[in-house]
Amino acid sequence: MLPVDGIPTKEDILAKAPPAERMKKGAVAMIECWQEIPCNPCVVSCPTGAITMEKLTAIPQIDFDKCIGCALCVAACPGLAIALVDGSKEDGDRVSIPYEFPLPEVGETVDCLNHEGRVVCEGTIEKVVHLPAVNKKDKTPIVTIKVPKGYALQVRFFKRR
Amino acid sequence: MKTDVLVIGGGPAGMNAAIEAARAGASVTLVERQAHLGGQLVKQTHKFFGWAEKGAGTRGIQLAEEWSKAVEEHENITVMLSSEAIGLYDDGAWMIEKEGKLIPIYPKKVVIAVGAQEKTLPIENADIPGVYGAGAIQTMMHVYGVLPGEKYLIVGAGNIGVILAYQLAQAGAEVKAVVDVLPKLGGAYWVHVTKIRRMGIPLYMKHTVIEIKGTKWVEGATIAEIDEKFQPIPGTEKELDVDTIAISIGLSPLTDLMYQAGVELIWIPELGGLVPVHSENMRTNKPEIYVAGDASGIEEATTAALEGKIAGAVAAKDLGFDVNDEAIEEWKKELSQLRDAPLLERLRQGLHKLHEAAKERGLQ
Amino acid sequence: MKRIENHPILTFKRGKKIKFYFEGKEMWGYEGDTIASALVANGVKVFRESLKLHRPRGFYCAIGNCSSCLMTVDGVPNVRTCITPLKEGMRVERIKGKGALHYEN
Ligand SMILES: Cc1cc2nc3c(=O)[nH]c(=O)nc-3n(C[C@H](O)[C@H](O)[C@H](O)COP(=O)(O)OP(=O)(O)OC[C@H]3O[C@@H](n4cnc5c(N)ncnc54)[C@H](O)[C@@H]3O)c2cc1C
Ligand code: SF4
Ligand code: SF4
Ligand code: FES
């Protein structure tokens, strides 16, 4: 449980997940920001105004229909709390995460880890892009992993072999 | 040497104090013990929370660069590096030691922004090499590019401990465990914790280190679960193969200079222990001394910077320089917005005690 | 105990190589190192002994607060090696006792 060990429960995760219909349309942001902390780069980075917040310490709210899956918020978030999930493709789901480690090769096979750090499936690195953080001075690598169908809500990290 | 404002410490608080005092027109001397400005920021590779409009999302190391540049470029500021303030003399001289030489400085006002020190773990063998402050490991790793060990145990799962776990993994080291005596996460932001959990770094809450192995240096550690009275529960021991133990169980303000200069200190555990009594304008009982940043009570870098701005501007104002009062009020407002988060309840209690104490003493 | 070569966020701009001596043994560091960081990179863990119980001590805070890293440098005892920049030819030694100042007169 989050307050005890930093691992979200299934309910925690589902509460942040985009509706299945939206995921079928293509990449969309899933914001796993749990606490009221003084922080807002996600709001400021979003070009479509999909993310809103009542005040600096509020939890960000997202309008999934406004989200165009551009991943700018993924690169901007200091908490590395945002992932893109995409259920639109037949050959598997896609998950895009910020990745501040030595970068994998496109096509590389990796072990995919869930919120607990447990290996849940095999994945393939599909894309590595570098997107500007909110101040534009810094770039964050965003890695897109192809995972088996149905794994988009679970996979949040990967281990190279 | 004479100066309007002497700023002691070149971290976020000191750098911002210097910039604001200089902006108001005061001549400023900034002394910093290290060979570089930046304070703790120089080792913080992660992006900061806060307002995106005001630098959130920027890494600590970049903030350090930006502020140092602003300090170095300001014509009213003289920066003295590798220079340590060692005390106040009866004639009003603050003695600065620079590479073995003593240099007296006669300031009209002083901003003390010397930061904090890391607490040590009171158990047997915690003094041998291999047991290091978490911040010390960050410094070795990020400032000098040196990893002091390969296999780590981190004691204390606050923000510093969990951030260190992430940073060690980035540098290619192995983190065997993070332990904390609390039954639930305390001050750590959950997003920092989820970051290390999904990488598979083990976190043991309600655990402590009960044995540090090794005679010359660390050769292993034993952790165990503890009961409500913080006593180890027999049978729950786990042996860890580690060569380094990082201690991140809290910080306390560096108050020796304040104490020597006669600044009144009071005990507020929520703010890190002994802290200087000061007003929201960062004034102390000594009319010529102001405080800011971790030295005035433990918080974080964004609040340290704002307190520094206030201290620098108020010091200049008290010297008669023209200062924009609205800006000062705006910084105070920003501080209270940052401190508004529910998880900072303990901090707010500490600040409340502090402000009550300041009020009782009539500090403005 | 190693130099970090590839870091996903930082690039270490190492200055020129610097030769120094630890307990008489030749070692190498870089411009930009402190004495302590160079020692750690060379695998040195024990910086000194505690005064009474002769327990081994290494660095602890690495920012000049705690005095755990005191050593004798070029004959001067009690130097905080964690904030003292490394210089060419430095002779770094573990302190014997409290150290002596060797004043000229
Ligand atoms: C290990 C560690 C990790 C942290 N991690 C984070 C984090 O991840 N995010 C975050 O927001 N905050 C973090 N913090 C907190 C944040 O870094 C501090 O709150 C902030 O740096 C405080 O700023 P400051 O200017 O008050 O002190 P500091 O940054 O500590 O600066 C004080 C400066 O004063 C100098 N000094 C001390 N004594 C003297 C003297 N006598 N003469 C001259 N100079 C002197 C020191 O060398 C230092 O450069 C961390 C703090 C520590 C210690
Ligand atoms: S992915 Fe792009 S459009 Fe969607 S919420 Fe993030 S920044 Fe906004
Ligand atoms: S930027 Fe990230 S950590 Fe900050 S509020 Fe948004 S989602 Fe949360
Ligand atoms: S390690 Fe603390 S003073 Fe050097």
Side-chain angles (χ1 to χ4, degrees):
Chain A
M1 238 177 33
L2 276 167
V4 179
D5 56 15
I7 298 173
T9 60
K10 210 171 164 185
E11 292 73 47
D12 291 331
I13 296 167
L14 288 176
K16 300 285 185 185
E21 302 82 70
R22 175 62 189 83
M23 266 179 72
K24 277 193 208 129
K25 287 189 198 144
V28 58
M30 176 161 164
I31 307 183
E32 298 178 17
C33 186
W34 319 99
Q35 259 175 322
E36 298 171 311
I37 57 178
C39 184
N40 74 359
C42 53
V43 175
V44 175
S45 66
C46 180
T48 68
I51 310 177
T52 50
M53 210 181 261
E54 281 162 38
K55 56 174 184 175
L56 187 70
T57 48
I59 293 177
Q61 302 297 322
I62 176 166
D63 180 343
F64 293 112
D65 291 327
K66 280 195 191 159
C67 173
I68 54 169
C70 68
L72 284 172
C73 58
V74 181
C77 168
L80 307 188
I82 312 182
L84 290 189
V85 291
D86 181 351
S88 67
K89 306 213 170 63
E90 283 309 312
D91 62 347
D93 287 347
R94 305 292 189 278
V95 178
S96 305
I97 55 168
Y99 193 71
E100 302 179 306
F101 292 86
L103 292 173
E105 304 283 334
V106 169
E108 196 173 316
T109 305
V110 294
D111 290 319
C112 297
L113 308 183
N114 67 0
H115 292 85
E116 277 172 65
R118 228 165 17 87
V119 176
V120 287
C121 63
E122 192 175 280
T124 317
I125 303 298
E126 190 169 78
K127 204 165 64 177
V128 180
V129 294
H130 296 259
L131 291 180
V134 65
N135 61 17
K136 311 272 191 296
K137 266 174 248 144
D138 194 43
K139 294 213 163 157
T140 308
I142 312 283
V143 174
T144 303
I145 326 160
K146 183 174 132 192
V147 299
K149 270 302 220 199
Y151 278 84
L153 298 186
Q154 285 191 45
V155 171
R156 285 298 173 271
F157 202 72
F158 63 86
K159 219 169 39 188
R160 299 180 69 187
R161 289 184 168 172
Chain B
M1 211 171 116
K2 290 202 157 84
T3 188
D4 287 334
V5 180
L6 169 66
V7 177
I8 305 176
M15 290 189 289
N16 281 286
I19 293 168
E20 291 309 324
R23 191 202 304 279
S27 66
V28 178
T29 304
L30 172 64
V31 298
E32 165 56 52
R33 174 164 75 189
Q34 302 264 6
H36 47 79
L37 291 175
Q40 309 313 315
L41 288 179
V42 298
K43 56 198 182 211
Q44 290 163 18
T45 50
H46 58 284
K47 298 175 189 160
F48 276 56
F49 295 128
W51 287 275
E53 302 85 338
K54 299 205 167 77
T58 310
R59 297 183 196 279
I61 45 176
Q62 294 162 336
L63 287 173
E65 266 175 40
E66 283 169 27
W67 285 330
S68 336
K69 205 160 154 262
V71 167
E72 277 152 10
E73 282 173 359
H74 206 295
E75 52 179 21
N76 288 5
I77 307 177
T78 307
V79 178
M80 293 172 63
L81 296 175
S82 301
S83 302
E84 178 167 23
I86 53 176
L88 168 65
Y89 285 70
D90 280 347
D91 62 348
W94 283 82
M95 197 56 81
I96 311 298
E97 195 217 301
K98 183 175 168 65
E99 286 150 9
K101 288 188 207 64
L102 293 178
I103 304 167
I105 294 188
Y106 294 87
K108 292 183 186 142
K109 299 284 184 189
V110 182
V111 178
I112 301 183
V114 291
Q117 62 190 343
E118 304 193 79
K119 293 182 180 160
T120 51
L121 188 71
I123 76 163
E124 200 180 323
N125 237 9
D127 58 344
I128 61 175
V131 182
Y132 303 131
I137 295 171
Q138 284 187 319
T139 302
M140 283 291 170
M141 187 161 66
H142 294 156
V143 181
Y144 307 109
V146 175
L147 260 179
E150 280 161 21
K151 295 168 288 183
Y152 291 74
L153 162 66
I154 299 176
V155 182
N159 278 318
I160 294 178
V162 294
I163 289 173
L164 177 69
Y166 183 76
Q167 292 170 334
L168 281 167
Q170 280 181 316
E174 196 184 341
V175 182
K176 297 275 183 169
V178 182
V179 297
D180 198 303
V181 288
L182 296 176
K184 293 204 308 185
L185 293 171
Y189 289 129
W190 295 353
V191 284
H192 283 321
V193 187
T194 51
K195 222 156 58 177
I196 65 165
R197 296 315 312 264
R198 61 188 179 233
M199 298 172 64
I201 295 177
L203 167 68
Y204 299 98
M205 298 305 288
K206 254 181 95 193
H207 274 70
T208 191
V209 50
I210 55 167
E211 188 193 4
I212 295 171
K213 293 186 190 138
T215 45
K216 287 203 191 111
W217 46 68
V218 174
E219 284 171 317
T222 310
I223 59 170
E225 196 177 329
I226 50 169
D227 61 21
E228 284 69 35
K229 295 195 189 86
F230 293 94
Q231 294 308 308
I233 303 173
T236 62
E237 299 85 0
K238 279 188 198 65
E239 311 265 319
L240 298 177
D241 170 25
V242 293
D243 57 22
T244 311
I245 301 176
I247 309 298
S248 49
I249 54 175
L251 301 171
S252 47
L254 274 178
T255 49
D256 39 2
L257 282 178
M258 303 175 201
Y259 178 75
Q260 196 253 340
V263 173
E264 188 190 352
L265 303 172
I266 52 170
W267 181 254
I268 305 183
E270 294 90 341
L271 300 179
L274 268 187
V275 295
V277 181
H278 62 276
S279 68
E280 282 179 323
N281 289 311
M282 312 316 286
R283 293 189 184 104
T284 68
N285 59 311
K286 289 277 161 187
E288 70 284 6
I289 299 179
Y290 305 75
V291 290
D294 278 357
S296 69
I298 306 299
E299 283 185 79
E300 38 85 52
T302 321
T303 49
L306 283 165
E307 287 183 345
K309 287 180 188 208
I310 297 171
V314 172
K317 183 177 150 171
D318 292 351
L319 283 173
F321 289 98
D322 200 11
V323 171
N324 180 356
D325 284 323
E326 274 166 37
I328 299 178
E329 290 312 310
E330 187 56 32
W331 296 325
K332 285 187 201 161
K333 212 166 85 198
E334 285 174 18
L335 273 178
S336 65
Q337 286 171 1
L338 287 165
R339 290 165 174 163
D340 180 43
L343 105 155
L344 299 179
E345 182 51 37
R346 212 174 112 81
L347 169 75
R348 282 195 298 276
Q349 283 168 7
L351 288 168
H352 180 74
K353 287 188 198 169
L354 176 72
H355 292 145
E356 289 299 304
K359 240 186 256 158
E360 272 170 34
R361 291 159 179 78
L363 289 181
Q364 295 290 305
Chain C
M1 280 165 304
K2 58 171 189 196
R3 297 263 175 197
I4 303 169
E5 297 306 335
N6 295 312
H7 195 278
I9 293 173
L10 299 167
T11 37
F12 296 104
K13 297 170 236 129
R14 299 212 162 95
K16 70 173 203 315
K17 278 193 133 184
I18 291 182
K19 183 159 79 176
F20 70 103
Y21 302 90
F22 168 65
E23 301 273 275
K25 205 173 135 221
E26 187 180 302
M27 288 187 175
W28 293 87
Y30 291 95
E31 208 173 55
D33 264 328
T34 56
I35 299 169
S37 69
L39 286 173
V40 173
N42 278 280
V44 177
K45 290 190 174 189
V46 181
F47 283 34
R48 66 176 179 104
E49 274 183 5
S50 70
L51 284 177
K52 277 201 192 132
L53 301 174
H54 304 286
R55 292 178 58 79
R57 290 284 151 82
F59 71 90
Y60 186 77
C61 74
I63 51 171
N65 282 341
C66 74
S67 300
S68 189
C69 65
L70 299 182
M71 299 180 85
T72 298
V73 178
D74 291 335
V76 179
N78 300 318
V79 172
R80 276 176 296 177
T81 54
C82 72
I83 52 167
T84 307
L86 184 70
K87 300 229 168 80
E88 186 69 40
M90 264 182 171
R91 296 188 172 270
V92 181
E93 282 150 0
R94 296 190 178 120
I95 304 183
K96 316 283 178 295
K98 289 179 186 162
L101 279 171
H102 305 296
Y103 269 109
E104 295 294 307
N105 47 30

